[in-house]
Amino acid sequence: MTHLLGIPLHLLPLVLLGLSLLAGVIIFLLPERAKVARTTVNLTAAIAKVVLLALLLPVVLEEDLPAWRSPLLPGVELVLRIDTLSLVFASLSAVLWLVTTVYAIGYLEGRPNRSRFFGFFSLCVTATVGISFAGNLVTFLLFYEMLTLVTYPLVAHYGTVAALKAARLYLIYALTGGLVLLVGIVWLTAMVGPVEFRAGGVPAVAALAEADPVAATWIFVLLIGGLGVKAALVPLHGWLPRAMVAPAPVSALLHAVAVVKAGAFGIARVLEDVYGPRVAEDLGVLLPLLVLACGTVVYGSVRALAQDDLKARLAYSTVSQVSYVTLGLALATSAGITGGIVHLVHQGLMKITLFFCAGLFAEALGVTKVSQLAGMARRMPVSATAFTVAGLGMMGIPPVAGFVSKWYLGLGALEADQPWVVAVLLSSALLNALYFLPVIYVMWFREPGEPVLAGQGHHGRGEAPLTLLVPAVTTASLALAAGLLAAAPFSPLAAAQVIAERVVTR
Amino acid sequence: MTADLLLPATVLVPLTLACLSVLARGHAVAVVGLVGTALSALPAVAVAVLVAVDGPVRHELAGWSPPLGIALRADGLSAVLLALTAVVGTATAVYAAARTTTYDDHRGFWPLALLLWAGMAAVLVGADLFNTYVALEVVTLAAVGLVALGGRASWGPALRYLLVAVLGSMFYLLAVAAIYGMTGTLDMAQAGAVIAADPTADTRWPMGLAVVGLGLKSALLPLHAWLPPAHASAPAAVSPLLSGLVVKAGFVVLVRLWFEVLGPDPAVAVLLACAAAAAVLVGGVLALVQSSLKRIVAYSTVAQIGYLFLLFPVTLGVEDPDLRASLVSGVLLLLLAHGLAKASLFLAAGSLQLAAGSDQLAEIVGAARQLRSTTAAMMLASISLAGLPISLGFSGKWLLLTGAVQTGQWWVVVLVVAGTLLSAAYLLRPLATVLLASDTTHEVEPVDLHALPPGLRHVPLVLALLVVLLGLNAEWLATLSVTGLPAGGAP
């Protein structure tokens, strides 16, 4: 197969990247009031991308696509390539872009600066597509930094002093992380030349680790340290809870696929496709990373317990949950890597549902605190169900997707002969239950409190408008489906298994 | 020979048109200025293309060889800077032609701008030390004149600029005289050959004099104090020429002296390293504490000049030609990126100032809502100035960093990282200010959009887009910039 819908395979990354970029540019050029045109452009591009990626899935699971290259700097190329890992991340971002766009259209109805918002929103997705398709470290860095820059206006969107402060903090963290990553990449490139991703590790990096283990270790620390800022590894996570001032769709995207996930995805690239699990293990960097990830998992959960603000609780929950990805990768066994990678997708689906619901509650009733949610389910049963499904999934209750991730992570821990990690996983599940179950309990079984009865929201009684509700229900269903149909041929789990197998056997 | 016509034309065309524009009256002034700009850009771009295709070119005026005659030449350094002059000059001219308020309605703008262009071109294609001195003087005088167009408030800074620049010229002239005394020639290549052949030649004095003179002209810290008031008080259409082009003239001449005439000097290199590092850090901190947009942008120039002067210490003792080329092209890409991005940022600042009536940060709160194109230009230009991807500034920084790591110069890495954070911080302040929703602080007058005709509104964005798009493929530009790079420090 050399063409898909008449497009040569090696040009597909460019086409997919161009789709989001073009949508962003057109939206910037459209006047503020051109709502219909803006929505049309947005949805057309988002749907086209989902369709293209769906068609690509069977092709890429067979073998990686040929790369597209263009000279960037002397001796350095811009490389865009679709392999299975890219496809997993790109599909997640494409699907969530579509639902989040629908949600954002409903959410921002009647507010100012929508043209700017959707323009940067599209650029943000362009950056995640670029990150997923990047075929070498330099290309990855370009899009990684682009993501930092285009999310700044989104976090700062409301233009309040608090929003700009949070956005500045985010930028300081992200730019510093980006610079640390840059130094790591420059150093590695200076030692071994441009590094192209290769499942199971790059031979030149393995040779470097052999010849100069000290430099190789330091470079690893710089790379993971730079990526760890976005991935919100403790103690580099400080920006994430503060960035909650952003509009709900932005938080949803930030936590599910864009910024936080870009960091986790980068860690996956460095561990699996630059160093390779074997080389990393020989360098002795896996255990510290594993301990760091476990620490973050527990710390995030503990902090989440104490939050009464729903979005803040969800933010600390993200700190914890995203580290499951790193945890799985650091186990460096087939099941561990499978669990880590599949959690990239599963956490995205579940967390975006939770943020959609948090936005729904805030929009419909003006409720932002956990304590105000009493009796919410009587008034908004559909939203409450979506929240419950995702919450249970986060705890790892079958058959929601989170269970599948945790199962593989536990399996991986046993394979890696690190039984203490299972204890960490269990205690984290317990903590998850401690901070999600009360929310769910309060929603379903408490007598409705003042805010719910009064209903001083935009939309009177009952459920939120469909543009907000449908996306939440969709992602909750996807989270459920990813768990129920985990054994199906094109499920996220199947893709993750293919990736883990290629990485481990190499 | 094409080069025989083109090389003199790069200087003579803008010079002739500068004279013509003095004669024009009324609306014809702007027309002559615009046509003159277009005609001046042609030979400049043509020479750049010629160098890219054929390699370095040289031409002896009227067929007389040095030391009797005068030689002109263009290598990669001349080529990329001529192209930069053409782009920045044209963009500024379009901006200026759109509305006379951008240069305070003063007819002197066009002759002076074209004269400045002629001087720049002469510095870039000059192969002779004395002519370079004359060309530098032309650039300086035109630049001082342009600053003084900014009205009474700018006369003080303009006068100070004039004094400093003349002092700089004197130092440089002394250096030229010393070199002439040592070698008996003013031709750069011949003087370089004589000095290279004589191992006992004491080059330290002329080099020290030249560094002080040219450092004054390029505002290398601690010789920078004249720049911020001059650049900030100049009219909107003038500041981009000053920051984008003029400060680079002195740097180019020092590059010529360092690599082609006197040869690298380790002691001076250490001095330059300290000055460059201090410029990046101190300039950045000073930019951070300013309260008006144009002064932030002006102090940013002080900081960015520091990156350029890193060229001398980082290439010291680097024998491997590929590594040298990487380091030199990295700095030159930074120079180009700074020229384009700074021109864009100053034009954007000028637009904001015209629309809001002031460039104080407190007065431009929330301007992003109305000035979308200007804000976009500020964002993109800031990305390149901070050296973040995707932009030409990042490309330059990448080359400089990889070269520094490969030669084990970790202090450069630390400096660049610190400089990047500082520049991001000081560039973010104005951006956050214009993005701030105006209703969250005190009432701010809505900006006057009628002060900005459409042509004027989009010029900064075009420049900023250019500097971003060039970052997508900077390989050819990096290669062009080091075409004809001398093989090594002679003595």
Side-chain angles (χ1 to χ4, degrees):
Chain A
M1 186 163 173
T2 56
H3 288 68
L4 185 79
L5 303 176
I7 310 166
L9 282 183
H10 72 283
L11 288 182
L12 273 172
L14 216 54
V15 172
L16 285 161
L17 201 63
L19 260 177
S20 322
L21 180 66
L22 200 64
V25 171
I26 293 176
I27 289 168
F28 273 126
L29 295 178
L30 287 173
E32 182 70 32
R33 59 182 183 284
K35 189 185 153 194
V36 177
R38 186 163 59 232
T39 309
T40 315
V41 171
N42 245 329
L43 291 181
T44 313
I47 292 171
K49 219 168 89 184
V50 172
V51 170
L52 264 177
L53 282 168
L55 290 175
L56 263 179
L57 191 61
V59 184
V60 176
L61 279 181
E62 284 293 309
E63 59 174 340
D64 298 349
L65 294 192
W68 176 86
R69 291 158 190 283
S70 154
L72 180 70
L73 286 160
V76 180
E77 281 180 318
L78 193 70
V79 182
L80 294 175
R81 197 173 53 108
I82 307 185
D83 61 10
T84 317
L85 187 54
S86 348
L87 199 70
V88 167
F89 193 57
S91 312
L92 177 71
S93 101
V95 171
L96 297 191
W97 181 32
L98 181 56
V99 289
T100 314
T101 302
V102 175
Y103 187 88
I105 289 169
Y107 190 85
L108 291 175
E109 182 75 49
R111 299 192 195 189
N113 290 329
R114 273 177 292 170
S115 162
R116 182 170 100 196
F117 178 88
F118 283 107
F120 280 112
F121 202 72
S122 294
L123 290 186
C124 179
V125 174
T126 311
T128 60
V129 176
I131 286 173
S132 61
F133 292 167
N136 61 10
L137 274 174
V138 179
T139 314
F140 177 85
L141 180 75
L142 291 187
F143 289 106
Y144 189 78
E145 291 287 73
M146 174 180 167
L147 181 64
T148 304
L149 298 169
V150 296
T151 32
Y152 170 79
L154 290 177
V155 177
H157 182 73
Y158 285 143
T160 58
V161 174
L164 280 157
K165 261 194 181 152
R168 190 180 65 194
L169 187 76
Y170 161 66
L171 203 58
I172 292 171
Y173 267 93
L175 284 184
T176 314
L179 276 172
V180 172
L181 182 66
L182 169 69
V183 172
I185 294 177
V186 163
W187 193 355
L188 190 59
T189 308
M191 301 284 268
V192 302
V195 181
E196 282 205 22
F197 299 139
R198 181 171 174 278
V202 180
V205 176
L208 173 73
E210 188 91 0
D212 190 350
V214 177
T217 307
W218 273 110
I219 293 170
F220 185 86
V221 170
L222 286 172
L223 295 178
I224 298 294
L227 294 163
V229 173
K230 278 215 177 94
L233 280 177
V234 171
L236 311 171
H237 67 288
W239 61 273
L240 185 62
R242 293 278 299 279
M244 288 292 92
V245 293
V250 174
S251 305
L253 202 70
L254 238 62
H255 283 253
V257 63
V259 176
V260 186
K261 279 303 169 52
F265 179 79
I267 293 178
R269 279 293 192 209
V270 168
L271 263 176
E272 314 308 345
D273 297 351
V274 176
Y275 278 77
R278 293 289 79 79
V279 174
E281 193 168 13
D282 293 344
L283 280 177
V285 291
L286 284 182
L287 190 62
L289 187 62
L290 184 62
V291 172
L292 190 67
C294 287
T296 308
V297 164
V298 175
Y299 174 87
S301 297
V302 170
R303 287 298 302 269
L305 269 179
Q307 310 296 325
D308 187 34
D309 186 280
L310 185 57
K311 275 178 99 181
R313 187 171 287 199
L314 293 180
Y316 276 108
S317 155
T318 301
V319 171
S320 165
Q321 291 281 340
V322 166
S323 282
Y324 279 97
V325 178
T326 314
L327 190 156
L329 299 171
L331 287 171
T333 61
S334 170
I337 295 172
T338 306
I341 298 216
V342 82
H343 201 56
L344 267 179
V345 179
H346 289 169
Q347 189 269 355
L349 293 173
M350 297 183 295
K351 190 39 78 58
I352 206 164
T353 312
L354 294 171
F355 270 108
F356 281 162
C357 291
L360 276 176
F361 299 149
E363 267 299 278
L365 300 171
V367 166
T368 57
K369 303 242 182 284
V370 175
S371 49
Q372 298 169 328
L373 281 171
M376 175 65 80
R378 298 199 193 165
R379 186 178 166 131
M380 302 169 73
V382 182
S383 315
T385 309
F387 188 94
T388 307
V389 167
L392 292 177
M394 282 291 182
M395 288 178 247
I397 309 272
V400 191
F403 168 72
V404 179
S405 317
K406 294 202 178 179
W407 175 262
Y408 274 89
L409 289 174
L411 222 56
L414 294 177
E415 266 182 20
D417 213 9
Q418 308 272 13
W420 59 276
V421 175
V422 180
V424 171
L425 288 171
L426 285 177
S427 62
S428 161
L430 185 67
L431 286 166
N432 288 344
L434 281 177
Y435 65 79
F436 273 123
L437 277 182
V439 185
I440 294 169
Y441 172 82
V442 161
M443 274 198 309
W444 288 95
F445 301 114
R446 279 276 171 80
E447 281 303 309
E450 171 74 17
V452 172
L453 287 175
Q456 291 304 324
H458 290 195
H459 306 285
R461 297 189 66 83
E463 291 284 350
L466 282 181
T467 41
L468 301 181
L469 192 60
V470 170
V473 172
T474 309
T475 49
S477 318
L478 285 174
L480 200 58
L484 280 173
L485 305 175
F490 296 126
S491 71
L493 181 66
Q497 278 171 326
V498 169
I499 296 165
E501 188 191 325
R502 285 186 194 162
V503 167
V504 174
T505 52
R506 200 56 77 75
Chain B
M1 280 288 290
T2 357
D4 295 350
L5 283 174
L6 284 178
L7 278 176
T10 55
V11 182
L12 294 179
V13 171
L15 194 61
T16 314
L17 286 152
C19 299
L20 280 179
S21 69
V22 177
L23 302 175
R25 287 285 175 270
H27 286 300
V29 181
V31 175
V32 171
L34 265 186
V35 172
T37 305
L39 288 178
S40 308
L42 284 177
V45 172
V47 168
V49 172
L50 197 65
V51 174
V53 176
D54 286 352
V57 289
R58 193 177 163 91
H59 168 64
E60 278 147 13
L61 283 182
W64 289 85
S65 306
L68 286 177
I70 294 168
L72 299 179
R73 59 86 173 272
D75 57 2
L77 178 67
S78 329
V80 292
L81 270 138
L82 278 172
L84 177 71
T85 308
V87 174
V88 172
T90 308
T92 319
V94 171
Y95 185 86
R99 201 166 184 95
T100 51
T101 47
T102 54
Y103 48 93
D104 287 353
D105 204 10
H106 203 292
R107 288 200 11 256
F109 173 78
W110 292 104
L112 285 171
L114 285 164
L115 188 66
L116 181 92
W117 187 320
M120 260 323 269
V123 170
L124 297 175
V125 299
D128 170 292
L129 290 167
F130 187 75
N131 283 321
T132 314
Y133 163 76
V134 175
L136 272 177
E137 283 300 273
V138 171
V139 171
T140 303
L141 293 176
V144 170
L146 285 167
V147 172
L149 296 186
R152 194 161 275 283
S154 69
W155 291 355
L159 188 64
R160 193 152 107 181
Y161 181 18
L162 181 67
L163 291 176
V164 169
V166 167
L167 191 67
S169 302
M170 277 170 51
F171 274 103
Y172 176 61
L173 193 60
L174 285 174
V176 170
I179 295 169
Y180 184 72
M182 284 162 66
T183 63
T185 176
L186 287 168
D187 183 75
M188 290 185 189
Q190 290 182 348
V194 172
I195 289 173
D198 176 11
T200 63
D202 182 10
T203 57
R204 188 153 293 168
W205 272 109
M207 185 54 95
L209 288 167
V211 163
V212 173
L214 299 169
L216 273 169
K217 283 185 178 289
S218 294
L220 177 65
L221 200 115
L223 311 172
H224 67 287
W226 60 270
L227 184 144
H231 286 199
S233 64
V238 170
S239 314
L241 292 174
L242 300 179
S243 258
L245 301 177
V246 173
V247 286
K248 273 101 186 179
F251 172 74
V252 169
V253 175
L254 192 60
V255 172
R256 298 279 190 224
L257 286 181
W258 186 272
F259 288 107
E260 296 173 19
V261 182
L262 295 169
D265 182 316
V268 179
V270 171
L271 202 74
L272 283 172
C274 296
V280 170
L281 300 176
V282 177
V285 171
L286 288 175
L288 201 52
V289 298
Q290 301 303 314
S291 60
S292 89
L293 180 54
K294 284 185 87 174
R295 284 185 82 93
I296 293 176
V297 183
Y299 271 105
S300 150
T301 298
V302 174
Q304 300 270 338
I305 289 295
Y307 286 125
L308 306 188
F309 280 83
L310 281 178
L311 175 67
F312 307 106
V314 291
T315 51
L316 192 75
V318 177
E319 300 291 343
D320 180 357
D322 288 343
L323 269 178
R324 268 168 64 84
S326 164
L327 287 164
V328 174
S329 59
V331 172
L332 291 182
L333 290 193
L334 280 175
L335 183 152
L336 294 178
H338 177 252
L340 294 171
K342 191 46 72 70
S344 164
L345 201 53
F346 255 129
L347 288 178
S351 296
L352 269 168
Q353 190 179 19
L354 286 173
S358 160
D359 72 328
Q360 291 296 313
L361 287 186
E363 303 295 323
I364 56 170
V365 171
R369 200 176 284 186
Q370 281 155 294
L371 301 175
R372 285 165 45 163
S373 169
T374 309
T375 311
M378 281 173 69
M379 285 180 178
L380 294 177
S382 301
I383 288 172
S384 180
L385 279 176
L388 300 171
I390 304 163
S391 69
L392 194 57
F394 174 77
S395 308
K397 207 162 263 192
W398 172 273
L399 287 173
L400 179 62
L401 281 179
T402 17
V405 170
Q406 276 169 312
T407 51
Q409 305 185 67
W410 286 95
W411 64 275
V412 176
V413 178
V414 174
L415 179 70
V416 168
V417 167
T420 304
L421 282 176
L422 268 174
S423 51
Y426 66 69
L427 291 166
L428 182 63
R429 271 183 73 221
L431 271 177
T433 309
V434 296
L435 285 176
L436 197 65
S438 54
D439 49 7
T440 56
T441 53
H442 64 291
E443 271 306 304
V444 174
E445 296 275 315
V447 297
D448 175 17
L449 280 179
H450 298 293
L452 302 176
L456 196 141
R457 239 179 274 173
H458 299 307
V459 175
L461 185 58
V462 171
L463 280 177
L465 276 174
L466 185 64
V467 76
V468 166
L469 291 179
L470 281 173
L472 279 178
N473 181 358
E475 193 194 24
W476 63 276
L477 204 52
T479 313
L480 172 60
S481 71
V482 289
T483 302
L485 180 75

